[in-house]
Amino acid sequence: MRRDAGEREQLADAREQGADEREQLADAREQGVDEREQLADAREQGAHDLGMHAADSHQRAMEAIGRAQARMAAARDRLDRSEAALQRSQATAERAQAQIGRATAGSGGNRPASSPDPALHTERAKVLRGKLAVTAAALAAVEEELARTHEELAGRRPAQASEYRAIAETARKAASRARDIERQYRG
C-alpha cells in the first residue's frame, strides 16, 4: 500500500507539474495578448495623435493663409489708393498743360508766345514724383507679402515647393525693382 501511495503521490506530483506547465503557458499566452493589445493601443493612439497633428497643421496652415490674404488685401487697397492719387495728379497735370496750351494759343497772332511758367511744371513734377514713390512703395509691400506667402506655402506643400519658391523669387525681384523706383523718386 505504501507503494501504491507512493505511485499515487508521484502521479499527483506529475499532474500538478503538468498543471503548473499549462498555467505557465497560459500566462505566457496572456502576456503575449497583453503585449499585442498594448501595441494596438499605441498604434491607435499614434494614429489619433497623427490625425490630430495633421488636423492642427491644416488648421494652422489655413489660418496663416487667411492672415496672408488679409495682409495682401490691405496692401492692394493701399496700392489702389496710391494709383488713384497718381491718376488724380496726372489729371491735374494734364489740365495745367491744357491751360498752358490755351494761353499760348490765345496769345495772339504777331506777339511771341510767352514761355510757360517753369515753376508750375517744377511743382507738378515734384508732386508726381512723390505719388510715384508712394505707389512704388505700396507695390513693393504687396510683392514682399506675396513672396512671404508663397514661401510659407512651399514649406507646407512640399510637392509644389519649387513652383511656390519660383513665384516667391519673382515677387522678390519685383519688390526690389519697386523699392529702387521708390528710392529714385522719394522727395
Side-chain angles (χ1 to χ4, degrees):
M1 288 253 218
R2 223 166 195 205
R3 200 170 158 178
D4 286 341
E7 287 177 11
R8 282 194 303 269
E9 211 171 287
Q10 281 180 336
L11 270 170
D13 286 345
R15 280 194 299 266
E16 195 173 303
Q17 186 178 358
D20 287 345
E21 289 172 1
R22 286 189 300 276
E23 193 172 312
Q24 287 174 351
L25 284 173
D27 286 346
R29 280 193 302 271
E30 193 173 300
Q31 185 177 357
V33 167
D34 288 346
E35 288 172 359
R36 285 190 296 277
E37 281 181 10
Q38 288 174 350
L39 284 172
D41 288 347
R43 278 193 302 269
E44 185 178 307
Q45 182 63 38
H48 176 66
D49 291 348
L50 183 59
M52 292 300 288
H53 178 69
D56 288 347
S57 293
H58 182 263
Q59 180 65 28
R60 284 192 305 271
M62 294 305 293
E63 289 169 358
I65 289 170
R67 287 189 303 273
Q69 287 172 335
R71 288 189 303 260
M72 286 177 59
R76 273 193 301 273
D77 288 344
R78 285 191 305 273
L79 181 59
D80 290 344
R81 286 191 305 273
S82 296
E83 184 179 2
L86 184 59
Q87 288 172 349
R88 286 191 304 273
S89 294
Q90 185 176 1
T92 301
E94 288 170 0
R95 284 193 303 275
Q97 185 61 41
Q99 183 180 4
I100 291 169
R102 285 191 302 274
T104 304
S107 64
N110 292 340
R111 286 189 342 194
S114 63
S115 45
D117 183 10
L120 177 66
H121 290 299
T122 302
E123 185 58 32
R124 242 330 104 218
K126 181 179 176 184
V127 169
L128 289 173
R129 282 192 294 271
K131 301 272 183 188
L132 180 57
V134 169
T135 301
L139 176 60
V142 168
E143 293 290 355
E144 288 164 352
E145 186 58 39
L146 184 63
R148 277 191 295 276
T149 299
H150 279 85
E151 282 296 337
E152 287 178 20
L153 289 171
R156 289 191 180 96
R157 298 182 181 160
Q160 295 123 341
S162 62
E163 180 183 335
Y164 287 130
R165 286 198 176 98
I167 293 169
E169 181 60 26
T170 300
R172 277 192 290 277
K173 287 177 182 176
S176 177
R177 287 190 305 270
R179 291 286 178 210
D180 290 343
I181 292 169
E182 177 192 10
R183 282 189 292 277
Q184 181 180 354
Y185 289 101
R186 180 66 61 193

